[in-house]
Amino acid sequence: MFKRFRQLLLTRKPYRLQTLIILLVSAVTAVALILTGILVANDYATTTQRNLENRAQAIALAVGQAPTVQSSLRQGNYGGEVQSYTLAVKAETDVEYIVVMDMNSIRLSHTNEEIIGEKFVGGDEGPALQGETYTSVAVGTLGESMRAFVPIWDGEEQIGVVAVGIATEKINEAIIGSQKMVFFGLGIGLVVGLLGALLLAQKVKNSMHGLEPVEIAQLLEEREAMLASVREGIVAIDEQGRIVVVNHAARDMFNKAGMKEEPVGKSIQYFLPESKLQDVLVHQKPVLDQAQKLNQLEILVNHVPVTAGGKLVGALATFRDKTELTSMLDQLSGAKDYAQSLRMHTHEFMNKLHVISAMVHTQSYSDLSTYIKQIANYYQQDVGWVSSHIRDPILAGYLLNKLNLLEENNVLVTLEGRFAWPNIKSAELIDALTTIIGNTLDNAYEAIAEQEEKKIKITLTYAKGLLEWTVRDNGPGFDQEALEYSMKKGTSTKGTDRGFGMHLIQQAAEESGGTVHIVPRKGVGVAVQVYIPYHKDDSGLNH
């Protein structure tokens, strides 16, 4: 049974935040008001008790100083004038009784005239006979009462005592009457506290868009996960231009640009000096596709304002390394070229079928044999070689398209390689190889564009777990100093707005764990060698 109860507790849904706020505020208010009410009520009871004691003593003192009372005590007259006087005072002051007694505790007056002349009952009058003024609670002939004793003096001589009694029930009624306002105020305070708790809980709920803390924590975790998974750098600023949000991609680009400091809390102008976020804060309009520099890193930036409840609260910038975008454009361009190459081959194939059909129809079998051998030689030289050495259809088609373009521009291409590349399963590696193949061949063609005899030699092989891709041209080449200059991103020996091809080759090779070797030969040409590790186990699985 205990296990079942524990399971119920564990599976029980947590209280909603609004309920917890109402319960907590109500409990705190109730405890505070109840404790305050108890303390105030106790103080009121003590004050009421003291006021009644002082009032009884004042009445007793006044009675003791009355000439009628002192005359009756000196003459020993019981009842009579002193009785009439005390009854009149009792009626005006609404006390329970007023008793005048002599030094022998014999009553001279009492509410009950039948016991006048008898000894005072209660036994608490002793100190008063000794000249003391005090109050006490005792049970007499009229029940329990609070008594105020005041000695009566005739000059320096004590001649008697006055006792004024107030019933305990009346004292309690007076105390309860004085506390009614306290309890009334306590009730109002509890009601106000409950209403305040309801209003506070509703306001907190509205400010949190009706979400529970668990839901907010889940949204925060999801937001962090989304920011971490986005490849674009994301930076958000507040109204003062201070950075408040930075994702992992943005931090990586800042580190890549040499900015190692913590960006959160810093001014956006320090990390993105060319940023338009300040303008977005002023004009509240997005600024899109802005090419900027982050130190030497070229980026493409989008800026948008951020509003909440119709009010501007900041701005957001998303940016990407321009080199990566260039690489993707090159890959898309390669895919487009591949599709165009397929259309060209289809058209060429149809033309060849028409030629073969015509030769068969005219029974030109000798010419047909020569023509088919010519087609077969072309297939063996280009299509057959590429298909046998590159088993991935995307890479094979891409390379064939490049070879067709080179041959159309009168470039003599030589293909060599002992071992074919294994079947590549990694999409990332295929993208990297596409970038490497395309840019190395483009660079080689640009190098030989002015040569009378244009030659390119391609070496493609696989040995010792390495994919090798080497492109040699017979261009003018360059020396070691020009090589170091051309290796920098955005710089080229061919002019301005160039220099991204070699950078893309290096980047693709490094991301795949490979290396790039460039062998420049002044007046002879350039050889670009790329080696990328790729292992194939005995089961035929590639990794």
Side-chain angles (χ1 to χ4, degrees):
M1 185 174 179
F2 175 76
K3 291 183 177 179
R4 184 180 179 185
F5 178 71
R6 184 172 180 269
Q7 186 177 5
L8 286 174
L9 288 178
L10 292 175
T11 57
R12 185 178 179 182
K13 292 184 178 179
Y15 287 108
R16 296 175 63 85
L17 178 63
Q18 186 176 13
T19 304
L20 290 176
I21 292 176
I22 293 174
L23 292 176
L24 179 61
V25 174
S26 299
V28 171
T29 303
V31 171
L33 288 176
I34 289 173
L35 290 177
T36 303
I38 291 174
L39 294 175
V40 173
N42 185 62
D43 183 66
Y44 269 49
T46 303
T47 302
T48 303
Q49 178 81 18
R50 189 180 301 112
N51 290 338
L52 290 174
E53 291 177 357
N54 293 336
R55 179 170 175 268
Q57 288 181 358
I59 294 172
L61 181 61
V63 171
Q65 293 176 351
T68 302
V69 174
Q70 292 191 2
S71 174
S72 297
L73 283 171
R74 282 194 299 268
Q75 296 174 8
N77 295 330
Y78 298 93
E81 293 181 358
V82 67
Q83 175 69 3
S84 300
Y85 176 73
T86 56
L87 289 175
V89 174
K90 172 183 174 297
E92 291 181 4
T93 57
D94 195 28
V95 294
E96 188 70 19
Y97 58 84
I98 299 175
V99 176
V100 178
M101 69 187 81
D102 59 16
M103 295 301 292
N104 295 317
S105 300
I106 302 301
R107 303 186 187 96
L108 277 70
S109 66
H110 195 278
T111 302
N112 185 0
E113 294 183 358
E114 294 180 357
I115 61 175
I116 293 175
E118 295 180 3
K119 194 174 181 63
F120 186 80
V121 177
D124 54 345
E125 75 277 7
L129 296 173
Q130 301 299 322
E132 295 184 17
T133 301
Y134 61 93
T135 60
S136 67
V137 177
V139 179
T141 58
L142 299 178
E144 187 180 71
S145 62
M146 183 276 295
R147 309 175 178 198
F149 292 94
V150 176
I152 301 174
W153 301 90
D154 184 11
E156 297 295 328
E157 180 186 3
Q158 182 178 355
I159 58 176
V161 174
V162 177
V164 176
I166 301 175
T168 304
E169 293 181 0
K170 288 187 176 181
I171 294 175
N172 292 336
E173 290 176 1
I175 291 174
I176 293 174
S178 66
Q179 292 176 337
K180 284 183 178 179
M181 290 303 298
V182 175
F183 293 123
F184 180 72
L186 176 63
I188 293 178
L190 289 174
V191 172
V192 173
L194 179 59
L195 292 176
L198 291 171
L199 293 175
L200 176 62
Q202 188 62 41
K203 183 174 180 61
V204 171
K205 182 178 181 181
N206 292 337
S207 65
M208 296 169 65
H209 301 285
L211 298 175
E212 294 296 311
V214 175
E215 296 173 327
I216 294 175
Q218 184 178 357
L219 287 176
L220 180 61
E221 292 175 357
E222 292 174 354
R223 190 200 73 162
E224 293 297 329
M226 286 189 291
L227 288 176
S229 63
V230 173
R231 296 188 63 182
E232 286 79 7
I234 298 176
V235 174
I237 64 172
D238 58 16
E239 293 176 285
Q240 285 72 41
R242 293 189 298 266
I243 298 175
V244 293
V245 174
V246 182
N247 71 338
H248 293 301
R251 292 179 186 273
D252 291 341
M253 275 187 266
F254 287 148
N255 292 332
K256 192 175 181 181
M259 299 177 175
K260 307 294 184 180
E261 298 181 30
E262 169 60 37
V264 176
K266 300 290 181 62
S267 172
I268 187 62
Q269 294 301 320
Y270 176 78
F271 282 88
L272 291 171
E274 298 182 12
S275 172
K276 303 294 184 181
L277 285 176
Q278 295 286 5
D279 296 338
V280 172
L281 289 177
V282 175
H283 303 293
Q284 301 185 22
K285 293 182 178 179
V287 180
L288 306 176
D289 299 329
Q290 294 290 307
Q292 298 175 5
K293 278 192 175 183
L294 188 62
N295 285 350
Q296 297 300 319
L297 184 66
E298 294 192 10
I299 57 177
L300 196 64
V301 191
N302 293 313
H303 313 79
V304 293
V306 178
T307 59
K311 180 182 178 183
L312 181 71
V313 295
L316 184 75
T318 61
F319 48 94
R320 188 90 181 260
D321 189 343
K322 190 176 179 180
T323 305
E324 296 180 2
L325 297 177
T326 304
S327 175
M328 287 189 292
L329 289 175
D330 288 344
Q331 293 178 22
L332 291 174
S333 176
K336 183 179 179 181
D337 292 342
Y338 177 47
Q340 183 178 358
S341 174
L342 291 177
R343 287 194 295 268
M344 291 172 58
H345 281 296
T346 301
H347 184 70
E348 183 180 357
F349 178 73
M350 293 300 297
N351 290 336
K352 289 176 180 179
L353 284 179
H354 288 306
V355 172
I356 293 174
S357 176
M359 289 183 177
V360 170
H361 184 71
T362 59
Q363 298 182 356
S364 304
Y365 300 120
S366 176
D367 294 336
L368 177 61
S369 175
T370 303
Y371 184 67
I372 291 175
K373 288 180 180 180
Q374 180 182 353
I375 295 174
N377 289 334
Y378 169 76
Y379 176 83
Q380 291 296 328
Q381 291 176 359
D382 287 343
V383 179
W385 191 93
V386 172
S387 299
S388 63
H389 283 74
I390 300 179
R391 298 174 182 174
D392 183 81
I394 297 177
L395 291 176
Y398 184 65
L399 178 57
L400 284 173
N401 178 63
K402 285 291 185 181
L403 295 177
N404 288 335
L405 293 176
L406 291 172
E407 291 173 357
E408 288 175 3
N409 287 280
N410 300 318
V411 178
L412 177 62
V413 180
T414 304
L415 301 171
E416 67 175 16
R418 294 183 59 190
F419 303 103
W421 282 358
N423 190 20
I424 298 172
K425 301 294 184 180
S426 172
E428 291 79 7
L429 182 55
I430 292 176
D431 290 340
L433 290 172
T434 302
T435 299
I436 292 169
I437 292 172
N439 283 281
T440 51
L441 292 178
D442 289 343
N443 288 349
Y445 176 72
E446 290 181 359
I448 62 176
E450 304 298 328
Q451 300 292 105
E452 291 185 5
E453 186 178 9
K454 304 177 181 64
K455 295 181 179 181
I456 291 178
K457 183 178 182 180
I458 298 174
T459 302
L460 183 155
T461 189
Y462 176 76
K464 297 180 180 180
L466 289 176
L467 302 172
E468 179 187 349
W469 170 265
T470 301
V471 175
R472 296 178 176 86
D473 63 63
N474 67 333
F478 46 80
D479 55 21
Q480 187 67 29
E481 182 178 354
L483 170 63
E484 294 176 358
Y485 177 77
S486 65
M487 294 298 290
K488 297 179 182 179
K489 177 184 175 182
T491 59
S492 174
T493 58
K494 304 181 183 72
T496 59
D497 295 330
R498 307 292 296 275
F500 290 101
M502 190 58 66
H503 176 75
L504 291 173
I505 295 170
Q506 280 188 311
Q507 185 180 38
E510 290 174 0
E511 290 178 353
S512 303
T515 57
V516 178
H517 303 281
I518 301 176
V519 182
R521 294 173 294 176
K522 185 71 173 179
V524 179
V526 176
V528 180
Q529 301 170 330
V530 181
Y531 298 92
I532 296 177
Y534 189 77
H535 300 283
K536 181 178 71 171
D537 55 31
D538 294 337
S539 63
L541 297 176
N542 302 305
H543 54 88

